[in-house]
Amino acid sequence: MELPVTDPARSSPSTPSRSAVAPQGAARLTPSLAAQLRHTARCVLAVEQGRSLSDVMPQVNAELRPGVQALTFHVLRHLGTARALVGKLVQRKPEPAVMALLSSAVALLLDGPSAVAADGMPVTQPVGPHYEPHTVVNQAVDAARQDRSTQRQAAFVNACLRRFLRERKALLHSVAQLPVARWNHPVWWIERLQRDHPEHWAAILEANNQPGPMTLRVNRRKTTRARYQQALQAVGVASTPVGSDGLVLDVPQPVERLPGFAQGHVSVQDAAAQMAAMLLLNGRAWAPTDRVLDACAAPGGKTAHLLERADLDLLALDVDERRCERVHDNLQRLGLQAEVRCADAARPAKWWDGRAFDAILLDAPCTASGIVRRHPDVRWLRRASDVDPLVAIQHTLLEALWPLLKPGGRLVYCTCSVFRAEGAHQVSAFLERHTDAVSRPSAGHLLPGLAAPLGEFNDNPPGEYDGFYYARIDKVQP
């Protein structure tokens, strides 16, 4: 499962101007921090009310959007700490719009070493925009005055933020024992990780609060990785190979600066997501007549990677018609062809023609708990009660698709989740139910914050990955 809003720290180096106001007489004014903070607070409030940034961010004015997105991502990575601190600054909880603005401003004031760690361990602060403290206070007050929902509380906002500057150290110490403030994740999420990954949970949470690197996938039908790395060097962009087709950029770049992007030479895709095609295709020769199903294909990154590596008779399904259009667009840019159909993979009677598949890729709907560093809103949108229904959907998809696989065929099951219920536990239960299913060496759980995969899929060199789970399951011959 891939989410469309991209981290500005990964896909674009643009961040808000450090100056509050553009120089007088400039031909094009830089949006003020006050204007960006006002819209950032609105985005944060929308997330707190259950709306995804994928829906909210496109509504922000295009001129403001890069700065607002950078600020919003930064705030969401600090939101647990910021909320707790605001709770100490007020006698009673303010109106939601005021709370969102205060939390956003406090998050910006947390730049630099944090004193939140109650255990004495250092806390790695998320990378983000930097402003002078008094600039943040003044611009937050201006933001309050500019918005009808907060303008009557501008003096209150000013008093709270100035008190935070005066009492910063004591206030940070006062929230240090709160897990949400320490880790910037909901308590249920922290507790689940502690159960699922008792040795690595802290590293996962720390990694989630950092932007992920920008990783490219080179289209081997258009160029080679070595040649493309040289093309990057020619425009001053350094990179490091990862996996079979990937390049991790030392510094994120806007896609417009990537050589040959419009011509389909390269795509943006995390190293963990690039493992899907390699795991599905490795170990046998493929022919154009081999039938492959990408069961939950949108936005098409894994579909495209399969076709870049092999000539296949590929059917890409997705239940969302608009997301199917994105699959079409991505394939067109890359010069690839597949049958793309809007259909529910869990209901084969509605779309399957009765011809069995040689291979199936099931990138199942999940909590997205493994890609939080790129989508920091996910942690605040998910609820503990979301996990079991998603596990049930994954179960249904596995049971619906398994009969469509030829004997001797292979199915790759993956989720962008670090929760074992959506990974190892799901696959173990499937193998127990199906005597004709056998597990093959796979990546297992990839965990952000760890230097290398923990599983058995050793063809991939060590590297930094988003959180994913991979299992390859073969159907034995009768």
Side-chain angles (χ1 to χ4, degrees):
M1 186 173 90
E2 298 177 49
L3 306 179
V5 168
T6 56
D7 189 337
R10 173 184 69 152
S11 60
S12 170
S14 66
T15 55
S17 168
R18 293 179 182 234
S19 60
V21 183
Q24 187 174 5
R28 183 175 181 180
L29 294 178
T30 301
S32 69
L33 177 57
Q36 295 179 80
L37 262 176
R38 181 161 57 93
H39 287 276
T40 295
R42 289 178 178 179
C43 291
V44 171
L45 178 59
V47 170
E48 292 178 325
Q49 294 174 338
R51 296 181 63 193
S52 168
L53 283 184
S54 301
D55 297 329
V56 176
M57 198 58 67
Q59 299 173 19
V60 178
N61 181 281
E63 183 179 281
L64 287 168
R65 195 177 303 147
V68 170
Q69 188 166 321
L71 288 176
T72 302
F73 273 58
H74 183 74
V75 171
L76 292 174
R77 291 183 175 120
H78 284 92
L79 191 58
T81 308
R83 281 174 174 169
L85 289 167
V86 173
K88 298 290 183 178
L89 291 167
V90 300
Q91 291 184 340
R92 62 179 181 179
K93 190 174 181 179
E95 291 296 316
V98 177
M99 182 73 176
L101 178 57
L102 279 171
S103 297
S104 298
V106 168
L108 286 185
L109 293 170
L110 289 174
D111 183 55
S114 172
V116 174
D119 54 9
M121 298 298 291
V123 179
T124 304
Q125 287 283 55
V127 177
H130 169 75
Y131 300 91
E132 293 301 320
H134 291 290
T135 296
V136 174
V137 174
N138 293 336
Q139 293 295 296
V141 173
D142 285 349
R145 290 174 178 149
Q146 293 170 10
D147 198 300
R148 189 173 298 176
S149 62
T150 57
Q151 60 188 192
R152 293 184 179 179
Q153 300 296 319
F156 173 72
V157 169
N158 182 57
C160 288
L161 296 179
R162 291 191 182 280
R163 180 188 167 198
F164 175 74
L165 294 184
R166 291 194 307 269
E167 304 175 20
R168 172 191 169 100
K169 185 174 181 180
L171 287 166
L172 285 168
H173 181 74
S174 71
V175 301
Q177 300 294 337
L178 301 176
V180 175
R182 168 64 177 89
W183 299 107
N184 286 294
H185 286 70
V187 171
W188 72 266
W189 190 303
I190 298 168
E191 292 175 345
R192 182 176 279 271
L193 283 182
Q194 289 172 334
R195 293 193 303 270
D196 283 358
H197 305 288
E199 296 182 1
H200 304 292
W201 66 272
I204 296 169
L205 293 172
E206 290 280 13
N208 283 352
N209 288 328
Q210 304 298 320
M214 185 174 183
T215 305
L216 308 181
R217 186 191 73 243
V218 178
N219 183 354
R220 56 173 58 195
R221 291 186 181 271
K222 300 272 189 176
T223 185
T224 67
R225 180 163 63 180
R227 285 203 298 267
Y228 193 80
Q229 192 171 24
Q230 292 174 353
L232 288 174
Q233 290 173 347
V235 295
V237 178
S239 62
T240 303
V242 65
S244 61
D245 300 308
L247 289 170
V248 180
L249 302 188
D250 287 9
V251 178
Q253 304 292 326
V255 294
E256 296 82 6
R257 191 165 181 243
L258 299 176
F261 181 84
Q263 293 74 35
H265 291 192
V266 71
S267 300
V268 178
Q269 188 181 41
D270 185 78
Q274 293 186 37
M275 294 178 70
M278 186 162 54
L279 185 57
L280 189 78
L281 297 177
N282 277 9
R284 62 163 284 184
W286 296 87
T289 54
D290 287 327
R291 301 201 73 215
V292 175
L293 171 66
D294 188 349
C296 302
K302 298 180 182 67
T303 304
H305 197 192
L306 288 167
L307 294 170
E308 288 168 3
R309 293 177 61 90
D311 293 316
L312 302 166
D313 178 9
L314 193 148
L315 171 61
L317 293 184
D318 200 88
V319 72
D320 188 320
E321 188 169 352
R322 289 181 302 172
R323 285 168 61 80
C324 283
E325 294 176 4
R326 292 190 63 199
V327 179
H328 277 295
D329 292 344
N330 283 328
L331 293 179
Q332 184 176 15
R333 180 179 66 84
L334 296 166
L336 303 169
Q337 290 186 339
E339 180 183 358
V340 181
R341 190 180 302 177
C342 181
D344 184 352
R347 304 175 69 184
K350 299 288 186 179
W351 55 267
W352 188 43
D353 62 6
R355 294 186 297 149
F357 292 96
D358 296 278
I360 296 174
L361 173 61
L362 174 54
D363 182 10
C366 68
T367 58
S369 59
I371 55 175
V372 176
R373 61 184 185 169
R374 302 182 191 280
H375 303 279
D377 56 329
V378 168
R379 73 189 86 181
W380 307 118
L381 293 171
R382 287 292 181 216
R383 300 291 180 265
S385 58
D386 294 337
V387 178
D388 287 346
L390 285 164
V391 169
I393 291 171
Q394 297 153 10
H395 170 97
T396 299
L397 284 165
L398 281 166
E399 293 300 321
L401 296 176
W402 186 247
L404 280 55
L405 187 65
K406 289 180 181 178
R410 58 182 64 176
L411 181 149
V412 168
Y413 170 82
C414 64
T415 62
C416 52
S417 174
V418 294
F419 298 152
R420 290 193 179 278
E422 301 180 280
H425 296 170
Q426 181 75 263
V427 169
S428 295
F430 178 84
L431 293 171
E432 289 179 3
R433 294 193 302 271
H434 294 273
T435 58
D436 60 344
V438 59
S439 177
R440 297 301 186 193
S442 304
H445 280 283
L446 299 171
L447 305 177
L450 302 183
L454 298 178
E456 302 172 339
F457 191 49
N458 296 320
D459 291 341
N460 200 76
E464 185 182 359
Y465 303 92
D466 278 349
F468 261 75
Y469 175 81
Y470 280 107
R472 177 183 145 190
I473 307 168
D474 287 6
K475 181 177 279 191
V476 298
Q477 299 280 359

